Amino acid sequence: MSGLWRVTWRNLFARKLRLILSATAIVLGVAFVSGSFIFTDAMGGAFNGIIQGSTADVEVAPKGATDFDSQQDFRTIPASVAEELEQVPEAGSVHPFNQVLTLYVIGKDGKVVGGNGPPGLGITDVETRSVTGNPIVEYVDGEHPMGVDEVALDVDTAEKAGYGIGDTVRFVAPGDQPELSAEVVGLVEFGDGSLAGATLALFDARSMQELFFDGRDAYSGISLNAAEGVSQTELRDAVAPLLQGDVKARTGDAVVEAGEEGLEEILGFLNTFLLVFAAVAMVVGTYLIINTFSILVAQRSRELALLRAMGASRRQVNRSVLAEAFVVGLIGATLGLAVGYLLALGLRALFGIFGLDLSDADFPIAARTIAVSYGVGVIVTMIAAYLPARRASRIPPVAAMRDEVALPETSLRRRLIVGVVMVVAGVGLMIGGFAGEGSTGLLLIGLGMLSILVGVSLMSPVIGRPLVEGLGAAYRRVFGMVGGLAGQNALRNPRRTAATASALMIGLTLVALMSILGQSASASTDEAVESTLTSQFIVSNVIGSPFSTTVAEQIREVDGIETVAQFRQAFPEVGGSVAAVGSADPEDLTAALDLPMAAGLLSQLKPGTVFVNQAAAEGQGYAIGDTVKMKLQGATVPLKVAGVFPAGAALPADYLVTHDTFRKGGLTPLDSLLFIVKEDSASTAQIRTAVDEITKDLPTVTLKDPSEFAEEQKEQIALFLNMIYALLGLAVVIAVLGIVNTLALSVIERTREIGLLRAVGLSRRQLRRMIRLESVIVAVLGAVLGVVMGVAFGIALQRAIADQGVEVLSIPWIQLAVFVVLAALVGVLAAVLPARRAARLDVLKAISTQ
Amino acid sequence: MESAVAARTVDLCKVYGQGDAAVAALDHVSVDFYTGEFTAVMGPSGSGKSTLMHCMAGLDSPTTGQVFLGDVELSALNDKDLTRLRRDRIGFVFQAYNLVPTLTAQENVELPLSIAGKKPDKSWFDKVINTVGLGPRLHHRPNELSGGQQQRVAAARALISRPDIVFADEPTGNLDSVASAEVLGLLRTNVDEYQQTIVMVTHDPVAAAYTDRVIFLADGKAVRELRKPTVELIIEELRVLTAEAVAGTAAEA
Ligand SMILES: Nc1ncnc2c1ncn2[C@@H]1O[C@H](COP(=O)(O)OP(=O)(O)OP(=O)(O)O)[C@@H](O)[C@H]1O
Ligand SMILES: [Mg+2]
């Protein structure tokens, strides 16, 4: 080991505290990256288990009907087909089944179990084996259900709902009867692990048909297990000639593969979503690392100068700093992986709020996760340490002889110029992004914002100065000398203060931006509901899942009701990407909504035509007369554009078609929203009572007036916003750690000065206050810059998406002010440890420190 | 000269380390420092001069023995009271790194008062500032001042709160003879005109000659003292002291 390496190495371990502090940023950033991967892997594993565990050797079904990502389909296969398949010698056993996806269990407490995203499965009780060799369901208790009054539940659901064998369970059902009840006679387990939050209810074959398929003797699909020695392909080839129309036979492997492809896409999206937040955390972390290394280099400048004086070359000094960074990166990445695992468990809890239950899932640490974690950890640390390392190598050897060493710094003027250039470039990118389309547009906007933020952080030593000086002056007035000292400390190293504040700025910019978009979306919802709804009531399902059409029929019978407009929803692929498509009866809709059409007439909505949301029309370039290709349950349906409706109306849809289009596409008719118009003479109170009576057994389906409806939608916005806050929270935590870190290092750096102050009579309490006040300055500077940037971005983004339904700009000033106040409190908290450390310094040792 | 005792030590011992490695930095030292007197403490390197200063100023605690500042016995005080005592009744000048870099010269001078939340007495403040003789440089930061100027600011800071006693540990150690003379002159003036009590550690016989009395330490013991010292007398004493030390080591061997 050469002398220089030995110095590097000793340095690292002689200062364990500094090592840990500088590694924390890496740890947290890497944790987010690895946590995202571990979580999506766990989710993928769980869903792969479900796909494999529910697929037989060969599956026969109408094309696109029973896939992993299909919606409720009402197309069926006649029972006669199943009988014919029985005759095929290659088939060991034939298991025809019916399935519904929106049969929700109502728990003992009257609340729906799960149902916040995962499906409520109702399936025929069959003894199929899956491709894994296990039975799809296994009875752990009780017996098979017989008749419409008996049901078997999966054990997890039964436990969550509080039911045991012999209890009567109630359901919210999609069939003719909107609510059902049956006695629990059996408890089953899914053959291959967990259902990830989905619920499972089994009825016998005939009962499934009676309850949900109008009593027709027909099936959703037929699962086949092969006879001894028969392969999947042989079985499929034997079965295929017996099938007609769009009913197809596929091997289990093909079904699994298709399912996994669909899954990959969803997981890929989720992973990207999480990695965006990981990237934010990493950018914030980079500031922290740059700052830490700058301080470390500054503190060691005497020593580095000595090394140079003794003949170490610039390159050697440079490399010794980078080597230190490398080791810090390695250690940080290792710890980051471990913390990432914990974070993945945290994400499990976060997503659990949305109904995704991964409590039984494995959380694997894949080789890819390890590679990415180390790659990101080490590379980011080295990049962040590069500038401080270069500065270290510029320390002149003669500095070793001087008392105080000032590091060569780039001038503030150059930083200002670079900052301005980056801001201008960022604005350009953002403008380009707004003009662009889809994900490229988003990427450009993101890069533009990043460029602006980095530019502003470069300029912040200059633009933040008045604020810091102002706070310092206020401090001096309120806290006297201690306040004055704190203000001076924040000013003495403007770059350091600015870099520390910038980390917080980035976190808070995004938080403020999201709060503005959220508030604007809420206000736009109010506005849309107020200006477009002419109906007096809306019936909707709180958890957003569809409900039986019987509800609408029953409400039509109520005295004093003029119109009930049924609105249905599906999420098919349109022109290559998933979109929200709504269906409605145009006449009913006209009565319920005042839709100011941007093009075309509302009466033009006919079978075979489609209305396009203005935002979607602009995004995809659709005009009246164009053809839109909509993929409904496997079949691609061409539809002619007949109208464009404004975004931000009370209709949650990108496209609007007639009910007929959905029906032909094979989707089971289920309502998502009902708009109710009363006769002028009818009493609101009476109608309310009558409708409440109809929906009283459906805990999630309720009647609202327009403002309650708006509230319900705003709650969804708030829920989503809170999730984003939780994910951004980590970036803010890193930024706060940055303050702790910088303060702690400054305390070490100023040991002698602190000793001097204590020697001339500064009390511990005054010393702690001084450090606390300095911390508050940094935090408030970051918060103010962040809020200002957030408001600027918020206004820009709201303008950009105004035609996508966020028409109203609403800035939550009070909330933003609260952020700044919270940041000040955070500053106080961040100072606790450094202040305690400073107060504990032994005065005598402090003044004699070299 | 019979005046009141400003500070004294009684059988003061300070032992560093334990067992075989134990070093008695101070070995039963009993000395009195009189009000309005300028005292120098001299002795070979490692003789315990700094340790004595630190114990007397309440920065370090004695192993055994007592330190009195006026009537107050320091070991009876807790940290808070010691801090207050330092703030209100003791002044310091160190060898180096004496000033807070973020404060101007004037602010540094005012520091002990502003820490205590007191307003400087205008006439006293003017006097002190005048003796420092910084004039227009009062509003400069320490890094814009010469070493001698910085030490004069540090001395003024030690005097501003009219402490009972000022301790200075090699205040001229880093200065050339001209700058030393400025600082020492300032201290001397304060003793003469305002009856300030000052204790100063120094290696320099010329500096020690500014004082009223020199106490010599050797191996942690107060071995000798000299009143109305001159440079020649001091050099003579130091010579004797060194000779004894050499003889001592020879005898031990
Ligand atoms: N913190 C400590 N731990 C152990 N020993 C110490 C410590 N501080 C001082 N000593 C020892 O105590 C003795 C007296 O030290 P002190 O610093 O008081 O000497 P000094 O007279 O001020 O010397 P100099 O003229 O070199 O400044 C020395 O032997 C020194 O090694
Ligand atoms: Mg000494």
Side-chain angles (χ1 to χ4, degrees):
Chain A
M1 207 190 281
S2 86
L4 214 59
W5 292 117
R6 198 173 299 137
V7 170
T8 304
W9 201 248
R10 291 254 166 89
N11 247 313
L12 266 169
F13 291 97
R15 302 179 168 119
K16 287 193 199 66
L17 179 71
R18 292 182 203 188
L19 181 67
I20 291 168
L21 285 173
S22 44
T24 32
I26 309 285
V27 171
L28 290 179
V30 169
F32 214 138
V33 173
S34 63
S36 302
F37 279 113
I38 294 172
F39 179 72
T40 45
D41 284 351
M43 201 167 142
F47 282 102
N48 268 327
I50 294 177
I51 293 170
Q52 294 188 352
S54 59
T55 305
D57 296 335
V58 165
E59 293 285 347
V60 173
K63 190 160 180 269
T66 57
D67 288 347
F68 173 69
D69 50 359
S70 303
Q71 281 189 283
Q72 182 70 57
D73 201 303
F74 74 97
R75 287 172 298 168
T76 48
I77 312 168
S80 57
V81 175
E83 277 156 32
E84 280 174 49
L85 295 186
E86 292 275 8
Q87 310 307 319
V88 174
E90 286 87 345
S93 57
V94 176
H95 308 281
F97 65 90
N98 291 87
Q99 70 170 25
V100 291
L101 305 175
T102 52
L103 180 67
Y104 294 106
V105 173
I106 302 173
K108 269 227 167 102
D109 55 1
K111 294 204 176 98
V112 167
V113 178
N116 221 341
L121 299 169
I123 302 185
T124 306
D125 181 28
V126 287
E127 295 179 339
T128 320
R129 263 183 301 110
S130 73
V131 288
T132 63
N134 298 324
I136 291 180
V137 294
E138 264 178 301
Y139 275 77
V140 292
D141 200 1
E143 49 200 62
H144 294 268
M146 295 297 286
V148 293
D149 298 332
E150 292 187 355
V151 69
L153 293 181
D154 73 280
V155 280
D156 288 343
T157 304
E159 191 181 311
K160 276 184 211 154
Y163 294 122
I165 294 206
D167 288 343
T168 299
V169 54
R170 289 195 299 135
F171 295 97
V172 180
D176 290 340
Q177 289 170 267
E179 73 258 8
L180 285 178
S181 55
E183 186 193 335
V184 181
V185 297
L187 292 177
V188 301
E189 240 171 25
F190 182 62
D192 282 272
S194 134
L195 285 166
T199 61
L200 181 61
L202 303 176
F203 289 91
D204 73 72
R206 189 61 206 140
S207 301
M208 278 299 292
Q209 292 172 344
E210 271 174 19
L211 289 172
F212 308 112
F213 289 81
D214 307 329
R216 286 175 289 144
D217 191 10
Y219 297 107
S220 304
I222 304 170
S223 305
L224 296 106
N225 284 131
E228 273 297 312
V230 177
S231 76
Q232 289 187 1
T233 21
E234 284 163 356
L235 179 57
R236 181 199 59 198
D237 293 345
V239 166
L242 303 173
L243 306 176
Q244 295 171 352
D246 65 353
V247 178
K248 300 276 186 274
R250 286 185 297 164
T251 62
D253 290 346
V255 172
V256 167
E257 196 176 312
E260 283 174 355
E261 255 168 45
L263 179 62
E264 295 277 282
E265 205 170 304
I266 298 169
L267 290 178
F269 177 75
L270 179 66
N271 205 13
T272 311
F273 176 75
L274 290 175
L275 285 178
V276 165
F277 290 94
V280 170
M282 235 33 212
V283 169
V284 172
T286 305
Y287 275 88
L288 185 46
I289 302 163
I290 293 179
N291 221 18
T292 308
F293 272 89
S294 299
I295 300 174
L296 292 183
V297 165
Q299 291 179 356
R300 278 175 51 203
S301 49
R302 266 297 259 303
E303 172 193 316
L304 293 172
L306 194 64
L307 290 174
R308 291 273 283 123
M310 291 183 320
S313 71
R314 278 192 172 190
R315 245 181 83 192
Q316 279 173 310
V317 169
N318 189 339
R319 281 219 228 123
S320 84
V321 175
L322 286 179
E324 190 167 333
F326 181 77
V327 176
V328 170
L330 270 189
I331 293 174
T334 309
L335 292 175
L337 259 175
V339 177
Y341 186 81
L342 299 179
L343 203 65
L345 299 185
L347 285 173
R348 175 170 76 181
L350 187 63
F351 279 77
I353 299 171
F354 295 84
L356 181 69
D357 179 1
L358 294 178
S359 48
D360 292 333
D362 279 338
F363 278 69
I365 301 178
R368 179 261 277 116
T369 310
I370 296 174
V372 172
S373 297
Y374 277 101
V376 167
V378 172
I379 291 170
V380 168
T381 318
M382 304 270 290
I383 290 176
Y386 175 73
L387 283 180
R390 208 177 56 162
R391 204 176 304 150
S393 70
R394 295 218 182 118
I395 296 171
V398 61
M401 282 50 156
R402 288 206 297 256
D403 215 24
E404 266 175 73
V405 181
L407 281 178
E409 299 256 16
T410 50
S411 74
L412 282 179
R413 192 144 147 243
R414 220 172 81 195
R415 279 171 73 112
L416 200 61
I417 293 169
V418 176
V420 169
V421 168
M422 289 195 74
V423 169
V424 171
V427 170
L429 281 171
M430 278 182 80
I431 292 174
F434 288 141
E437 276 166 26
S439 53
T440 2
L442 277 181
L443 189 68
L444 284 180
I445 294 173
L447 283 177
M449 292 208 309
L450 182 66
S451 173
I452 293 175
L453 283 175
V454 173
V456 168
S457 71
L458 281 174
M459 294 193 285
S460 60
V462 179
I463 56 180
R465 197 178 172 94
L467 184 72
V468 176
E469 276 175 346
L471 278 173
Y475 274 1
R476 188 177 273 274
R477 202 151 305 139
V478 181
F479 299 103
M481 170 54 56
V482 173
L485 279 173
Q488 292 297 335
N489 284 343
L491 274 175
R492 83 159 75 170
N493 202 327
R495 282 177 195 77
R496 192 185 293 179
T497 301
T500 315
S502 294
L504 191 61
M505 170 187 85
I506 293 180
L508 267 176
T509 299
L510 297 177
V511 170
L513 169 64
M514 289 318 298
S515 78
I516 290 170
L517 290 184
Q519 172 100 353
S520 297
S522 290
S524 303
T525 305
D526 279 337
E527 162 82 16
V529 166
E530 196 166 298
S531 66
T532 57
L533 269 192
T534 49
S535 66
Q536 292 80 24
F537 298 106
I538 298 101
V539 170
S540 70
N541 186 334
V542 194
I543 55 177
S545 60
F547 49 91
S548 165
T549 54
T550 310
V551 176
E553 274 153 33
Q554 287 176 348
I555 293 174
R556 279 206 185 94
E557 304 297 310
V558 173
D559 275 345
I561 299 271
E562 194 173 87
T563 315
V564 177
Q566 291 163 280
F567 178 79
R568 297 175 187 155
Q569 246 187 338
F571 300 91
E573 251 182 40
V574 182
S577 59
V578 175
V581 179
S583 80
D585 179 287
E587 219 168 288
D588 290 347
L589 203 60
T590 317
L593 290 182
D594 179 19
L595 258 192
M597 296 293 287
L601 293 171
L602 197 53
S603 58
Q604 295 290 313
L605 187 61
K606 294 185 186 131
T609 64
V610 62
F611 277 9
V612 188
N613 180 317
Q614 199 160 9
E618 277 169 19
Q620 310 278 330
Y622 290 129
I624 302 267
D626 287 354
T627 300
V628 169
K629 291 208 164 104
M630 194 173 289
K631 202 172 153 204
L632 290 168
Q633 306 292 85
T636 302
V637 185
L639 298 163
K640 190 156 260 154
V641 177
V644 177
F645 62 96
L651 279 184
D654 301 324
Y655 299 90
L656 188 63
V657 296
T658 59
H659 294 319
D660 174 75
T661 305
F662 276 2
R663 204 173 300 128
K664 280 198 189 125
L667 293 170
T668 305
L670 288 171
D671 292 331
S672 295
L673 291 173
L674 303 177
F675 298 99
I676 300 172
V677 185
K678 70 178 181 73
E679 284 166 4
D680 286 343
S681 58
S683 126
T684 310
Q686 266 169 16
I687 288 178
R688 205 173 244 282
T689 320
V691 175
D692 281 345
E693 181 63 24
I694 292 170
T695 59
K696 76 171 192 307
D697 289 327
L698 305 172
T700 55
V701 179
T702 49
L703 181 78
K704 292 121 195 153
D705 64 26
S707 71
E708 287 165 341
F709 176 61
E711 279 313 312
E712 186 183 279
Q713 308 234 308
K714 288 194 285 190
E715 266 167 38
Q716 296 297 313
I717 295 172
L719 194 62
F720 180 67
L721 211 56
N722 285 340
M723 175 163 153
I724 303 263
Y725 286 157
L727 291 171
L728 284 177
L730 199 66
V732 175
V733 168
I734 294 181
V736 172
L737 279 175
I739 300 180
V740 177
N741 198 357
T742 309
L743 276 180
L745 289 170
S746 303
V747 164
I748 296 173
E749 190 176 55
R750 295 176 201 157
T751 298
R752 286 184 65 167
E753 186 182 326
I754 289 170
L756 173 71
L757 286 167
R758 291 274 290 128
V760 299
L762 195 74
S763 71
R764 293 211 155 105
R765 175 200 282 252
Q766 286 174 312
L767 179 60
R768 280 197 296 263
R769 177 182 296 162
M770 181 183 93
I771 290 167
R772 211 155 43 224
L773 288 174
E774 183 181 348
S775 173
V776 169
I777 287 193
V778 176
V780 169
L781 175 64
V784 169
L785 286 177
V787 165
V788 169
M789 297 307 295
V791 170
F793 286 154
I795 293 174
L797 278 186
Q798 185 274 331
R799 288 278 142 77
I801 57 171
D803 59 356
Q804 294 179 26
V806 188
E807 279 169 336
V808 185
L809 174 68
S810 174
I811 299 175
W813 291 114
I814 295 180
Q815 202 180 343
L816 296 179
V818 169
F819 287 154
V820 175
V821 173
L822 281 180
L825 288 180
V826 157
V828 171
L829 288 181
V832 168
L833 286 179
R836 184 184 301 171
R837 198 183 152 84
R840 283 218 189 118
L841 280 179
D842 182 274
V843 182
L844 198 53
K845 282 204 188 110
I847 38 182
S848 49
T849 303
Q850 279 310 305
Chain B
M1 179 172 155
E2 271 313 302
S3 76
V5 173
R8 64 196 168 96
T9 67
V10 180
D11 265 347
L12 179 62
C13 292
K14 178 73 192 180
V15 181
Y16 288 110
Q18 281 177 342
D20 284 349
V23 179
L26 293 176
D27 189 1
H28 296 279
V29 176
S30 299
V31 285
D32 295 351
F33 296 97
Y34 301 103
T35 304
E37 217 175 44
F38 192 177
T39 311
V41 177
M42 299 192 79
S45 187
S47 57
K49 305 180 294 292
S50 295
T51 308
L52 178 64
M53 291 294 102
H54 295 154
C55 287
M56 296 204 62
L59 290 171
D60 207 350
S61 52
T63 310
T64 60
Q66 291 161 308
V67 175
F68 290 90
L69 190 73
D71 298 330
V72 183
E73 212 262 294
L74 296 195
S75 63
L77 301 180
N78 61 21
D79 177 75
K80 209 170 173 179
D81 291 332
L82 268 181
T83 302
R84 177 160 304 162
L85 181 98
R86 283 203 301 272
R87 192 183 76 192
D88 297 339
R89 297 182 57 187
I90 298 177
F92 284 100
V93 188
F94 303 109
Q95 180 171 350
Y97 208 84
N98 246 319
L99 303 176
V100 176
T102 52
L103 300 181
T104 63
Q106 176 166 347
E107 287 168 333
N108 264 292
V109 173
E110 292 168 345
L111 189 62
L113 293 176
S114 35
I115 286 175
K118 291 182 196 149
K119 283 261 161 290
D121 167 351
K122 184 81 177 91
S123 63
W124 175 244
F125 181 79
D126 287 345
K127 273 183 196 137
V128 172
I129 286 292
N130 265 334
T131 52
V132 175
L134 270 187
R137 314 219 66 155
L138 266 180
H139 299 287
H140 287 230
R141 296 272 165 92
N143 62 1
E144 297 160 340
L145 300 176
S146 75
Q149 288 168 330
Q150 288 188 33
Q151 269 324 52
R152 266 151 44 203
V153 173
R157 187 197 61 212
L159 298 166
I160 192 74
S161 55
R162 296 205 231 208
D164 293 357
I165 190 163
V166 170
F167 295 107
D169 194 349
E170 300 190 43
T172 57
N174 281 2
L175 304 180
D176 66 17
S177 56
V178 177
S180 292
E182 287 169 3
V183 173
L184 291 163
L186 174 63
L187 295 177
R188 184 71 244 176
T189 314
N190 267 277
V191 173
D192 292 343
E193 290 183 16
Y194 310 112
Q195 285 71 53
Q196 180 65 58
T197 313
I198 298 178
V199 180
M200 172 181 77
V201 170
T202 184
H203 282 286
D204 179 3
V206 178
Y210 276 81
T211 65
D212 302 314
R213 172 189 176 210
V214 181
I215 292 174
F216 293 93
L217 290 190
D219 283 340
K221 295 188 186 70
V223 289
R224 225 178 279 273
E225 75 168 78
L226 197 62
R227 287 213 163 259
K228 304 210 184 316
T230 62
V231 177
E232 293 72 28
L233 284 174
I234 295 167
I235 291 175
E236 175 57 23
E237 283 290 345
L238 284 176
R239 209 180 47 73
V240 174
L241 213 60
T242 322
E244 278 174 5
V246 171
T249 15
E252 263 172 49

